[in-house]
Every structure is written in structure tokens, then in C-alpha cells.
Amino acid sequence: MKVYYLPLDSSPWSPADERLVSSVSGRRKEQIKKYAHDDGRRLSLYAALVTRMGISLQTGIPTSGLAFQADSGRKPVCLTVPGLDFSFSHTKNAVLCCISGEGSVGADIEKQRPAPIRIAKRFFHEEEIKYVWNGSEEEQSLRFFEIWTKKEAYSKQLGLGFGLSPQSYNTLSLESASRLHTWRQDGYLCSVCCEKPSPIEIIAVTEEDLQNFFS
């Protein structure tokens, strides 16, 4: 499984961004327009771009030849390459995207910050709650976002989002852990989940890489 990590700065919407909009679908263009702030618009745009670039690089199909379907409440799929699955996530100033031809995948990324530990009881399995609370004060925030991103990635891999009761499954169990990869990168917690245990390759890309690719 290939995982693309893209850091973004807080630049205002630019002519370069406007040019890149032509490289995404009409549906994505409408989603981009719905964001009130430039940061949200840029995250939505670049998440779509890095997904298209990654699939194109893996398959050799030009990005203009890729077709996607994103039904409301369902996981987006690539109609052009049915055997390929992808998932992306974005948070403040960063995008994470995973792509695999060996089963379904899910991704999540969260900025490291003081965690709302007390809501763990509403969303975490009892074993996950113990894991979070048994850490030091600093470890608790890291462990909270470790579990949070794992649960998001796991449920996205299943195609259910948080439609699956998050308290009903334990991401620390041996069965789940073999399919989950979690790491820290540049002040973020990242998790990806694959249907089958699989090694991952993390590829860092830049805005310039994308601008050059789509030029």
C-alpha cells in the first residue's frame, strides 16, 4: 500500500490553485466552493489532486482518464480501476491518502493538540479507554489521537465511517492491530488500515510536486 503525505501551508487561494481546479471533477469543484475559508478550499482541492496523482502513478492511466463515483454516505470509488481502493483524510495544513490494489483501505490524520480525553468514554472500547488513561499526561493526548485515527481508518476501510458503533470494536486487539499502521509525522498522528496485513510505503509530496504534475 502506498501512502501519500502532503503538508500544506496557510496561503490564501492563489491563481495557481485556480488553475488546478480544472483537474478535478465537477462534483469536487462544487464541494470546494462550499468552503467559506481558503484553508478549507485548498485542503479539499489538494486531497483530490494527490489522490488522482497517486492512482495515475500506480496505474499509468492519465488523470484525465480517471472517473470516480461518490454517492452520498458511501465511500468514493474509482470506476476506471475497480480493483484499486483509496482513502484520504485532511486536517489543519495536511492531507493523507492511501492507495492499494490488494483490498479496501482507510486513512485518517489528526493534528497533535491537547486531546478531549473525557469524550473517550463515548467513542472508545473499554480496553482503549484503559490504554489512554494509563499513560502520563503527555502520553494521554498522543494515545487519544492514536486510537481516534485508528478507529477512523478502520471504519473507513470497512466503508462505514462512524456508522459502525465506535465502542463496539477494539483497535488494540491482535486481529485489528495486524491491519493498522500508526505513526507520528511533523506534529500529526497518522493511521491507515488495510483489508489484509500489508507493508506500507510513505511518500511525502509537496504543493510544488502537484503543481508540476498537473501543469
Side-chain angles (χ1 to χ4, degrees):
M1 173 167 55
K2 292 187 183 297
V3 182
Y4 295 88
Y5 164 73
L6 169 67
L8 287 172
D9 59 32
S10 295
S11 300
W13 187 262
S14 70
D17 297 329
E18 197 63 43
R19 288 193 296 272
L20 287 168
V21 170
S22 64
S23 299
V24 301
S25 68
R27 182 186 180 94
R28 174 59 59 169
K29 290 173 186 175
E30 291 302 314
Q31 290 177 327
I32 291 169
K33 290 178 182 178
K34 291 178 181 179
Y35 285 91
H37 302 290
D38 286 353
D39 282 356
R41 296 172 71 196
R42 280 168 47 78
L43 283 168
S44 182
L45 170 63
Y46 280 89
L49 291 173
V50 76
T51 301
R52 284 176 173 270
M53 183 183 76
I55 293 175
S56 178
L57 290 173
Q58 286 186 226
T59 63
I61 300 172
T63 57
S64 59
L66 297 175
F68 296 86
Q69 182 172 319
D71 295 332
S72 179
R74 293 182 177 273
K75 185 178 179 182
V77 296
C78 180
L79 299 175
T80 314
V81 194
L84 199 70
D85 197 47
F86 68 92
S87 177
F88 62 78
S89 174
H90 53 74
T91 188
K92 184 175 176 59
N93 298 119
V95 173
L96 191 73
C97 173
C98 59
I99 302 170
S100 176
E102 299 180 0
S104 58
V105 294
D108 193 55
I109 183 170
E110 293 287 342
K111 180 77 172 177
Q112 289 179 219
R113 58 189 185 276
I117 302 293
R118 297 195 177 279
I119 72 169
K121 293 181 180 179
R122 293 169 49 197
F123 297 103
F124 291 2
H125 185 277
E126 60 182 14
E127 293 300 320
E128 296 170 333
I129 294 171
K130 291 178 184 177
Y131 172 71
V132 172
W133 281 104
N134 285 342
S136 65
E137 184 174 350
E138 180 182 357
E139 288 172 335
Q140 285 178 2
S141 277
L142 290 173
R143 291 183 180 191
F144 176 91
F145 286 114
E146 174 193 343
I147 298 299
W148 186 274
T149 58
K150 282 181 174 179
K151 295 184 91 65
E152 282 273 22
Y154 180 79
S155 56
K156 284 182 179 181
Q157 181 262 308
L158 295 177
L160 299 172
F162 266 147
L164 177 67
S165 173
Q167 293 174 312
S168 66
Y169 59 94
N170 176 16
T171 59
L172 299 175
S173 71
L174 289 176
E175 179 184 0
S176 299
S178 65
R179 300 191 288 113
L180 283 159
H181 302 268
T182 301
W183 69 99
R184 295 167 65 181
Q185 184 143 4
D186 300 338
Y188 295 93
L189 260 294
C190 307
S191 288
V192 294
C193 183
C194 42
E195 184 176 354
K196 305 171 184 177
S198 173
I200 66 171
E201 179 186 358
I202 301 170
I203 304 165
V205 296
T206 66
E207 292 179 52
E208 184 178 3
D209 291 333
L210 287 162
Q211 290 164 0
N212 290 336
F213 186 84
F214 287 94
S215 62

